[in-house]
Amino acid sequence: MSRSQTRLRCPDTVNVLLLGTGGREHALAWRLKKSKRLGTLWVEADANAGLTEIGRVCPEPINDMFRLVRWCERENISLVVIGPEAPLAADYATKLADHPKRVVFGPSKAGAQLEWDKAFAKQVMRAASVPAADGRVFTDAEQALAYVETRVDGCVVKATGLCAGKGVVVCKTIAEAKRAVEDCLVRKVFGDAGATILIEELLDGPEVSVLALCDGQSFWILDPAQDHKRVGEGDTGPNTGGMGAFSPTPKATDDLLRIVQRDVLVPTVDALKRMDIPFRGVLYAGLMVTPAGPKVLEFNTRFGDPETQPIMARLKGDLVELCWATATGQLSEVELSFDRRAACCVVVCSKGYPGSYPKGLEITGLDEARATEHAPGEEIIIFHAGTTRKNGQIVTNGGRVLGVTALAETVERASALASEAAAKIHFDGAFYRRDIGRTL
Ligand code: AMP
Ligand code: GLY
């Protein structure tokens, strides 16, 4: 963001371009649509069927920055909301905000480095004395292998670049750690993203994510949500992008949130500021609550997917105004509150996920799922993730296909209702976890 945009007034009518094509973005779009300031909502051409139903399709290819910027000018886009990490890492935030009347929700490439470079994140945390797992950075396989020989209590080997959630290996034995080091530094399975690795001490404890909006100065901590990463019920099987999420979660107590704000969020953003990097967007701290207090495992610089689905279901207030305030340093002037009801999102997946899966399968039962019997005060919202339209039909187009989300009095009830609705959705091989929000 250029300095001239700081404190720029939010126009009465805001045309928005939303970047990203998945479930998180459908949840953001659904909430943006409720804003009284929203003019036209534009989405990417290859966005899922839920997004293209509520947004107009941007005719320009997203990867042609020259044309995209000219199109933004023609369509009078005054707010760009960036969902995923890849455009943040490609500095879309800076490039698209290069206009006196357009602002971007999402940090610059320099701010997003907290996510796309785990070695940089470690360096910032050290400089800011943020509690985190001890770790060392390596580029040389021999040195890394010699180091893991000494890690008899286990360790965690992390590719430092963006690996779509696949670059972290928790190693209980030295042999596992050696294999993980060799995968990155010798076999180069992650390419450049794994050319530098971080070897961390193995921590133990419950995991909590804390997401905050940050305008470079002030914070709004969002009501905490928790996701389930393992594919199988009872948190078993391989890791996925997230099989479901719920909010609120009893794990993130007010005390914990206060500690995280004081010891993690504020010092991290201050350290960036000292490096002349104003951080504006979502700061997402993945934490492990150890006996010595919460320690940071990773930072993301965007909303989580699928945590955004229950968060947006519960968010009150105007999302256009919130994004605008975040992007222009005016967060202290807006109000943020959450529905007191709980929300639970159950992700319906394609057979084979998180491995390979078929695409193009016809999806039925969406209306029946929405019509699942529920009490007054309860709600069912179906967010699309990996879907598209083919010959007028909605078909599968990804591993995580739909996020069936319910709002109800308790997490348990929201979970039961979302699972009941998910059962009405059919495509060949569809599956979901019935225990989202129940194995706390
Ligand atoms: P990350 O992408 O860094 O959050 O790591 C993915 C997952 O690996 C986390 O959600 C944890 O379950 C696990 N993990 C990461 N770092 C550590 C650590 N230092 N100790 C134990 N588990 C970890
Ligand atoms: N659900 C975890 C993430 O979005 O990174």
Side-chain angles (χ1 to χ4, degrees), residues 24 227 229 241-242 284 298 300 302-307 400:
R24 161 185 48 213
D227 68 349
K229 290 215 169 64
Y284 169 141
E298 65 160 350
N300 294 320
R302 49 163 177 87
F303 283 113
D305 190 343
E307 296 96 313
R400 294 189 290 169

Side-chain angles (χ1 to χ4, degrees), residues 163 355 357 390:
C163 302
Y357 46 81
K390 199 166 83 188

